Amino acid sequence: MNDTLGQTPSQTVGPYFAYGLTPQQYGYPLKEIAGGCLADDAAEGERIRIEGRVFDGTGKPVPDAMIEIWQADAQGRYAHPADPRGSNTGFRGFGRFGTGTDPDNRFVFDTVKPGAIGDGQAPHVNVVVFMRGLLVHAFTRLYFSDEAAANAADPVLATVPEDRRRTLIAARHDGSTGVVYRFDIHMQGDDETVFFDA
Amino acid sequence: MTEVTGYGPRDWGSHPPYIHPEYKSTPLRGPTKPLIPLKATLSELTGPVYGHESVGRLDADLTKNGARNGEPLGERIVVTGRVLDERGRPVPDTLIEVWQANAAGRYVHVIDQHAAPLDPNFFGGGRCVTDSEGRYRFYTVKPGAYPWGNHHNAWRPNHIHFSLFGPSYLTRLVTQMYFPGDPLLDLDPILLGTPEKARDRLVAKFSLDVTEPEFALGYVFDIVLRGTIMTPMEG
């Protein structure tokens, strides 16, 4: 089509995104639109924590990455007009966290476990990775280790080579402080996380 | 009746590659395995919704939102433009977040140790929302260039960082706006990592029409996000 405009190119988020995008997490005086806590007291569903690190090609944790997550609520509904069912009150489903404030460079999200959205996909969280040195953001997905049957039937996981699917499965740990899913993101190497051309 | 069934693909001919060796952080941080194609589902056709309620009173005026006891130093500017999709349709009510260095080329961020002064009256972060025609507008000061350690005598051109959501998860965009006539544009590995045909889209245009007499120089920066694919609905 000749009448189309060219897409504005992506550029790296750079090392100094924090005071613009995650200001409260880093202690800057600007209200942030979203942080690591997605679920307020009113949110329905199983409380979970998602945590992990981002590793570069040398296996070092990245201290200046920003992770965004987008997910359905516990009933599998998105807070967006394209989902006519709508999300339950108080659950917006979006979180953002920079890896620069945790001593181990973790990202940490306190949220609820999403329900299946009803189209055959297993419950999942949509994940976007940004960092200095990444010129285009990378899309990936987080699936849950305790959803083996649903994962086995998931049409998106089915498109991923079998030996790489494990990179998308977060491991559940039931600890004294609650449920934690560990989800490390490897940018490169044998364990390179599957990224999608979404 | 039609419904949105997808968005046009990321146009890899317009975006930089993951690995651009001249930008030395990329070879160890960009994915190396081929991306797996993902056909849009409800997860991708939805996305974070942030609108006017997420913008504070001074958020679109960076000359005021960090002021303590006066005006920030530097050349006051107004930056405006339209957010459009690939077919030229406006993207209304979408959040734009911006952050930038001060006029001396120094970021507020604690890890920026460049020996240029902080400005007590400039913070450098702000946001605004597009109107019903996709227009946005914010005031700030022109950011300074600053050195970075990529290679000997490496300087980033003057730039403002932009972050946009657009209508879905797939229209997310983080980019940088550059200034016309900057001699550093031809030397910057980050900009030069962008395909040549698309680089100009990242350079704002000076506009005397937008310039406000006795007050601020005007720059226009239009932003194009991925467009929707519409499919007739059944029945």
Side-chain angles (χ1 to χ4, degrees):
Chain A
M1 283 176 282
N2 293 327
D3 58 344
T4 57
L5 304 172
Q7 290 174 18
T8 300
S10 171
Q11 299 277 274
T12 179
V13 76
Y16 305 131
F17 62 80
Y19 69 90
L21 299 180
T22 53
Q24 283 173 262
Q25 184 202 331
Y26 283 69
Y28 293 106
L30 179 69
K31 192 167 181 286
E32 63 195 16
I33 60 160
C37 183
L38 283 75
D40 64 14
D41 292 342
E44 300 163 18
E46 183 187 12
R47 302 291 160 138
I48 64 168
R49 171 169 281 194
I50 293 169
E51 65 173 47
R53 293 190 286 177
V54 181
F55 294 94
D56 71 12
T58 66
K60 287 199 190 107
V62 172
D64 55 3
M66 182 180 81
I67 302 300
E68 289 183 348
I69 65 172
W70 167 242
Q71 65 165 95
D73 68 12
Q75 295 170 37
R77 300 184 303 200
Y78 285 103
H80 185 277
D83 187 340
R85 303 165 304 167
S87 177
N88 59 315
T89 311
F91 191 74
R92 223 160 171 174
F94 179 65
R96 233 183 214 173
F97 206 88
T99 59
T101 59
D102 179 84
D104 297 320
N105 298 127
R106 288 175 305 173
F107 55 85
V108 181
F109 293 104
D110 290 309
T111 184
V112 297
K113 190 175 174 192
I117 58 180
D119 60 358
Q121 297 189 78
H124 62 276
V125 173
N126 309 289
V127 179
V128 195
V129 183
F130 302 86
M131 70 182 98
R132 172 177 63 84
L134 197 64
L135 286 160
V136 187
H137 57 265
F139 290 119
T140 185
R141 280 183 169 203
L142 177 158
Y143 288 86
F144 297 93
S145 64
D146 54 331
E147 298 283 351
N151 291 344
D154 183 86
V156 173
L157 279 176
T159 67
V160 175
E162 198 172 354
D163 63 337
R164 298 190 66 203
R165 284 179 205 161
R166 63 189 165 80
T167 69
L168 302 179
I169 313 288
R172 179 177 177 120
H173 299 275
D174 288 87
S176 56
T177 57
V179 177
V180 177
Y181 286 92
R182 295 246 351 142
F183 185 68
D184 286 334
I185 296 168
H186 297 268
M187 300 310 298
Q188 301 182 351
D190 293 342
D191 297 324
E192 182 173 319
T193 296
V194 167
F195 297 105
F196 291 102
D197 192 6
Chain B
M1 287 283 286
T2 58
E3 65 178 337
V4 175
T5 54
Y7 284 79
R10 286 202 272 187
D11 174 12
W12 293 101
S14 291
H15 297 291
Y18 279 122
I19 309 286
H20 178 62
E22 289 75 18
Y23 175 19
K24 290 184 180 156
S25 299
T26 67
L28 288 171
R29 290 186 163 197
T32 61
K33 293 182 166 56
L35 303 183
I36 307 279
L38 173 58
K39 189 171 177 296
T41 71
L42 191 61
S43 299
E44 290 77 31
L45 298 177
T46 55
V49 179
Y50 288 93
H52 296 274
E53 80 295 341
S54 42
V55 176
R57 191 173 58 88
L58 296 177
D59 283 359
D61 190 342
L62 283 68
T63 71
K64 292 197 169 69
N65 77 346
R68 291 179 191 164
N69 57 7
E71 294 245 1
L73 294 173
E75 194 174 282
R76 196 185 293 118
I77 62 172
V78 52
V79 179
T80 186
R82 294 182 80 194
V83 181
L84 304 167
D85 75 8
E86 289 169 279
R87 291 183 184 81
R89 294 175 294 216
V91 179
D93 304 320
T94 199
L95 183 69
I96 301 179
E97 298 166 277
V98 296
W99 68 103
Q100 64 166 84
N102 70 22
R106 178 76 185 266
Y107 284 88
V108 163
H109 199 297
V110 291
I111 63 171
D112 182 5
Q113 297 298 314
H114 174 37
L118 286 166
D119 183 336
N121 290 310
F122 191 74
F123 176 66
R127 55 179 78 103
C128 57
V129 176
T130 59
D131 68 13
S132 60
E133 297 180 321
R135 283 182 207 289
Y136 72 91
R137 182 183 193 83
F138 66 92
Y139 292 90
T140 184
V141 295
K142 189 173 181 183
Y146 59 86
W148 60 311
N150 189 70
H151 56 273
H152 174 67
N153 214 6
W155 292 76
R156 291 297 330 277
N158 307 337
H159 64 277
I160 299 175
H161 295 267
F162 277 67
S163 169
L164 296 94
F165 288 103
S168 90
Y169 182 74
L170 298 178
T171 49
R172 187 87 178 84
L173 177 70
V174 170
T175 189
Q176 301 180 27
M177 182 200 103
Y178 300 93
F179 289 83
D182 186 338
L184 295 170
L185 294 177
D186 295 334
L187 304 172
D188 181 50
I190 294 182
L191 178 61
L192 296 180
T194 307
E196 188 172 4
K197 69 166 191 188
R199 281 177 211 155
D200 282 355
R201 301 174 201 161
L202 296 175
V203 182
K205 292 182 175 61
F206 170 73
S207 168
L208 197 60
D209 290 336
V210 170
T211 296
E212 299 185 15
E214 323 300 332
F215 189 69
L217 291 173
Y219 290 92
V220 175
F221 182 55
D222 291 334
I223 298 165
V224 178
L225 305 179
R226 291 162 66 175
T228 52
I229 294 170
M230 309 290 285
T231 303
M233 287 173 74
E234 290 173 27

